[in-house]
Amino acid sequence: MCSLLLVGLVGVTACSPATDAGTSENTTEAVTSNKGSEPAVTLSESAVGAQASWVISILNGSAPVEEAEITEHLADVMFEELSVDDFVEVFEQLRTDQPWTVAKVEETGDKAVVGLRGGSGTGLDMSLSLDPAGQINGLFFAPASDRTPSTSWEQVENAVQALPASTTLSVTQGTDSAETVLMVGDGAAQPIGSTFKLYVLGAVVEAVEAGVLDWETSLTLTEDLRSLPSGKLQEEPAGTEVSVREAAELMISISDNTATDMLMDAVGRDAVENEQVKLGHHDPALNIPFLTTRELFQLGWGEGTKVGARWASATVDERREILEQLPDGTVDVAPEAVTDPVWQHGLDWFATGADLRAAHLGLQKLATTEAGAPVREILAINPGVGLSIGDEWAYVGFKGGSSVGELAGSWYVERADGESFTLSIQAASQDPADLTDTQAYFGQIEDALVLLADH
């Protein structure tokens, strides 16, 4: 149930005030590649090139990484989900494959994708972005992809059809009436992971409109609401308070599961189930009863697996009884237990590409109301980690999700000329290995956005 994927580290792309970036004391050189007959690849002397060089020097260094150095180079937004110690742990993990050399560089303005090769031959793609002050506000490592970008809609369609997991891609234009630009796959409902949080956001707006909540209403974390990652609130002590607005921002930007469950508790399960209807889901019954994230962990991989085994064949009333049987308090699920897909048993949230389009358009409409005023900004905090998006896009709203054996992403974008589009990609397999190369899937969205720039 995480919408952000990477090799041990998640960086949230956003902008925040910061000081100028400095230089690193870890000075081991590894900014060029010249193995065998391959031509050398060098990083530019631009701000983003300098920051990429700093990261590589850290990965190739041996001296302990100091907290002051990390906070000097990384913007405050980077620590909303991960601590300094978390970053040190990931850097130390990657240091085990020294030396890291640069195999390719793609740089656009304040963003860059740097292909890295480890000493063992392992390839990583490092996506990096800077805020206006020059600090790193996005850092994403993913297995290197040898994907060749598509330059036509036919090539995109062929690339999607060649993916190992069952995949659906939907691209539409406009808001009032949908003009299909491209549809690949049968359009059937598939698991969407944390993308379901779009419906929770809609239910929050409805609660604010009804006067049940206010964006500044305080929510209190309890042991019965504590979930598991992704997110950061699960690490906070019981009694921690956050506002509805703060919880919604965490839910969308870093897919905080505990923040999500706190919001669902505040609005009620029925409200989220009803929101599916209001946001145009074609078959809300697919997600009734509407699971919280901790319930999915319990039913799929924890204390509730015995009752969860009955989920697929159970009626709605029987499913509600199953949820009543789940224990309160701490969720006892070990990370190593979350290895097998459970979506095929109905344990997830399900929607079609058309449903995700309707949800985004519905939320954009809610954003024009007084109650929904924060929605547009909330959806734009994270445009999709690791995704390269051109400057021709004036607005990007995003929510994605993943779990074992599934991956999904959905976008509402506005071009500089005011034209709008929605895009979604959904993939599912009972073999999690089919989804290891996430760039092979989300890269199709990058290619589609390039084609849509001139559509």
Side-chain angles (χ1 to χ4, degrees):
M1 285 163 291
C2 176
S3 66
L4 313 178
L5 304 175
L6 104 136
V7 181
L9 172 65
V10 172
V12 179
T13 302
C15 293
S16 61
T19 56
D20 290 339
T23 57
S24 169
E25 294 181 0
N26 283 279
T27 57
T28 304
E29 292 186 6
V31 296
T32 64
S33 173
N34 195 11
K35 291 191 174 184
S37 60
E38 297 179 0
V41 179
T42 59
L43 293 166
S44 74
E45 297 181 359
S46 66
V48 71
Q51 288 286 32
S53 294
W54 171 77
V55 175
I56 296 169
S57 73
I58 291 294
L59 301 186
N60 283 332
S62 57
V65 184
E66 300 294 335
E67 176 178 348
E69 184 174 8
I70 290 180
T71 57
E72 178 184 8
H73 286 267
L74 272 59
D76 291 343
V77 69
M78 297 292 287
F79 306 108
E80 290 183 357
E81 182 174 7
L82 298 178
S83 67
V84 171
D85 289 341
D86 291 330
F87 282 96
V88 171
E89 181 179 352
V90 173
F91 291 151
E92 290 292 346
Q93 173 189 343
L94 294 176
R95 278 181 170 184
T96 61
D97 202 15
Q98 294 177 351
W100 289 96
T101 57
V102 178
K104 67 175 183 179
V105 179
E106 299 174 6
E107 184 178 327
T108 305
D110 59 0
K111 300 176 182 178
V113 177
V114 181
L116 300 176
R117 183 183 295 107
S120 67
T122 299
L124 285 180
D125 284 339
M126 177 178 72
S127 299
L128 181 144
S129 64
L130 307 185
D131 65 13
Q135 282 189 304
I136 299 172
N137 66 3
L139 182 60
F140 182 89
F141 295 93
S145 175
D146 57 1
R147 188 183 72 86
T148 300
S150 299
T151 57
S152 70
W153 291 115
E154 182 181 6
Q155 289 181 4
V156 173
E157 181 174 5
N158 292 337
V160 172
Q161 291 174 337
L163 292 169
S166 174
T167 306
T168 298
L169 174 70
S170 174
V171 182
T172 60
Q173 180 176 1
T175 55
D176 295 332
S177 59
E179 176 188 336
T180 300
V181 178
L182 180 66
M183 178 69 191
V184 187
D186 60 13
Q190 288 187 271
I192 59 174
S194 284
T195 316
F196 84 86
K197 294 167 185 177
L198 294 173
Y199 297 108
V200 180
L201 182 60
V204 169
V205 176
E206 301 285 356
V208 173
E209 176 66 30
V212 176
L213 291 177
D214 183 271
W215 287 104
E216 298 307 316
T217 299
S218 181
L219 305 177
T220 303
L221 173 62
T222 67
E223 291 301 333
D224 294 341
L225 295 175
R226 191 188 305 278
S227 186
L228 298 177
S230 55
K232 69 175 186 178
L233 274 183
Q234 75 278 352
E235 303 295 338
E236 299 299 322
T240 296
E241 295 185 357
V242 294
S243 70
V244 168
R245 171 77 181 258
E246 291 170 331
E249 290 177 344
L250 291 172
M251 174 179 71
I252 299 299
S253 66
I254 62 172
S255 209
D256 194 300
N257 289 330
T258 298
T260 304
D261 289 359
M262 291 171 69
L263 289 170
M264 287 187 64
D265 180 69
V267 301
R269 194 192 307 271
D270 289 348
V272 183
E273 292 174 351
N274 292 335
E275 191 62 25
Q276 295 182 96
V277 179
K278 296 177 180 179
L279 290 182
H281 195 293
H282 84 288
D283 187 6
L286 291 173
N287 302 312
I288 294 179
F290 205 100
L291 294 171
T292 65
T293 67
R294 62 174 279 135
E295 287 170 345
L296 179 58
F297 279 117
Q298 289 174 306
L299 292 172
W301 305 282
E303 312 99 312
T305 51
K306 291 183 179 179
V307 291
R310 309 198 314 264
W311 190 264
S313 60
T315 65
V316 170
D317 288 341
E318 289 170 340
R319 288 183 174 187
R320 294 195 190 279
E321 290 179 6
I322 288 173
L323 296 182
E324 289 294 328
Q325 297 177 41
L326 296 177
D328 296 329
T330 303
V331 179
D332 186 17
V333 178
E336 57 269 22
V338 187
T339 56
D340 297 324
V342 296
W343 62 263
Q344 68 273 23
H345 305 306
L347 289 170
D348 204 82
W349 305 268
F350 298 84
T352 66
D355 294 332
L356 297 179
R357 175 185 185 276
H360 271 285
L361 296 184
L363 286 168
Q364 290 298 319
K365 187 173 181 179
L366 286 175
T368 65
T369 67
E370 182 178 355
V375 165
R376 193 169 163 87
E377 182 179 343
I378 290 171
L379 286 170
I381 295 174
N382 171 20
V385 171
L387 199 67
S388 177
I389 299 175
D391 294 336
E392 62 271 16
W393 298 103
Y395 176 83
V396 179
F398 165 77
K399 188 70 193 82
S402 68
S403 187
V404 184
E406 61 182 86
L407 178 68
S410 64
W411 291 259
Y412 167 81
V413 298
E414 293 173 353
R415 208 164 51 194
D417 64 0
E419 190 61 63
S420 64
F421 303 86
T422 55
L423 308 90
S424 66
I425 189 164
Q426 301 165 259
S429 173
Q430 294 189 42
D431 182 358
D434 287 343
L435 293 161
T436 301
D437 186 0
T438 58
Q439 183 59 22
Y441 294 85
F442 277 20
Q444 310 308 319
I445 298 296
E446 284 189 356
D447 296 345
L449 287 172
V450 172
L451 293 170
L452 290 177
D454 298 320
H455 182 78

